[in-house]
Amino acid sequence: MIGRLTGVLLEKQPPHIVLDVQGVGYELDAPMSTFYLLPALGERVTLHTHMVVREDAQLLYAFADKRGRELFRELIRLNGVGPKLALALMSGMDVDELVMAVQHQDVSALVRVPGVGKKTAERLLIELRDRFKAWEASPGSLPLVTGAPTTAAAKPSVDAVSALISLGYKPQEASKAVSAVDEAGLSSEELIRRALKGMV
């Protein structure tokens, strides 16, 4: 299994990443909590990965740290939670927010995530409660490359809307959320972050 990759960041179009590792381009999917920490294109980065092998595909998921990867693994062990829903959960809130929601059994925090209704949220909170007893909030995450400039996409708002749609939001809902926070000079990652917070 592939557990970690270090290479040059070639592409980042949420939730997809392409990482060049000694001439081999690895395609990975990552939650927005990891995207916020990515360096500029062309910079080197180390990502912790989880590989999913299906009959029709071999998929790699990338995380900024081992803690994020462990959370992803805990989520996909749950009945009815696949990688797509796990990424959506980890994109709507960071690891600490999700841990706190579970520890406080906060249903409202989970139902804001696309694809999670009240019954699903209640079931997830019950199933995760025992698993998260040992988890504690950690200090804030640091960028994967300190001081790396953020490369703004040609059309950050378009990229942001596309990212939200890929996370499960309806096109109209995604467009409205991005428009509400769109300001000149913001990167697509920052627009996505603000749009997700605005949907709370």
Side-chain angles (χ1 to χ4, degrees), residues 1-3 27-29 49-63 69 72-73 75-77 81-84 86-87:
M1 292 299 241
I2 299 171
E27 293 182 354
L28 309 106
D29 282 359
T49 60
H50 177 82
M51 188 173 185
V52 173
V53 179
R54 302 191 322 217
E55 287 184 11
D56 59 342
Q58 294 184 24
L59 307 169
L60 271 175
Y61 297 91
F63 306 93
R69 182 179 63 186
F72 178 79
R73 288 174 173 172
L75 291 172
I76 62 175
R77 286 189 188 110
V81 178
K84 185 174 182 181
L87 284 189

Side-chain angles (χ1 to χ4, degrees), residues 41-174:
L41 295 180
E43 295 280 349
R44 287 183 65 79
V45 64
T46 295
L47 295 167
H48 296 273
T49 60
H50 177 82
M51 188 173 185
V52 173
V53 179
R54 302 191 322 217
E55 287 184 11
D56 59 342
Q58 294 184 24
L59 307 169
L60 271 175
Y61 297 91
F63 306 93
D65 53 32
K66 290 182 179 179
R67 196 163 182 265
R69 182 179 63 186
E70 186 57 35
L71 173 61
F72 178 79
R73 288 174 173 172
E74 289 285 1
L75 291 172
I76 62 175
R77 286 189 188 110
L78 300 178
N79 183 35
V81 178
K84 185 174 182 181
L85 180 55
L87 284 189
L89 284 165
M90 294 179 68
S91 293
M93 56 187 78
D94 63 28
V95 175
D96 290 334
E97 288 171 336
L98 187 50
V99 170
M100 291 291 286
V102 171
Q103 291 177 343
H104 291 95
Q105 295 293 288
D106 185 358
V107 174
S108 62
L110 295 190
V111 296
R112 294 192 296 264
V113 177
V116 180
K118 186 176 180 182
K119 287 185 178 180
T120 301
E122 289 172 346
R123 180 175 59 80
L124 291 178
L125 289 175
I126 290 170
E127 291 186 28
L128 286 170
R129 183 171 52 198
D130 291 337
R131 294 174 183 265
F132 279 12
K133 278 183 178 176
W135 287 58
E136 296 179 357
S138 67
S141 298
L142 298 174
L144 296 176
V145 173
T146 307
T150 300
T151 301
K155 296 181 180 178
S157 60
V158 174
D159 288 344
V161 170
S162 296
L164 291 176
I165 292 172
S166 70
L167 290 172
Y169 290 95
K170 295 177 181 176
Q172 185 177 2
E173 188 180 19

Side-chain angles (χ1 to χ4, degrees), residues 181 183 186 189-199:
V181 298
E183 293 179 18
L186 291 180
E189 288 87 354
E190 183 59 29
L191 281 173
I192 295 164
R193 186 202 301 263
R194 293 189 181 192
L196 286 170
K197 291 293 183 187
M199 290 176 177

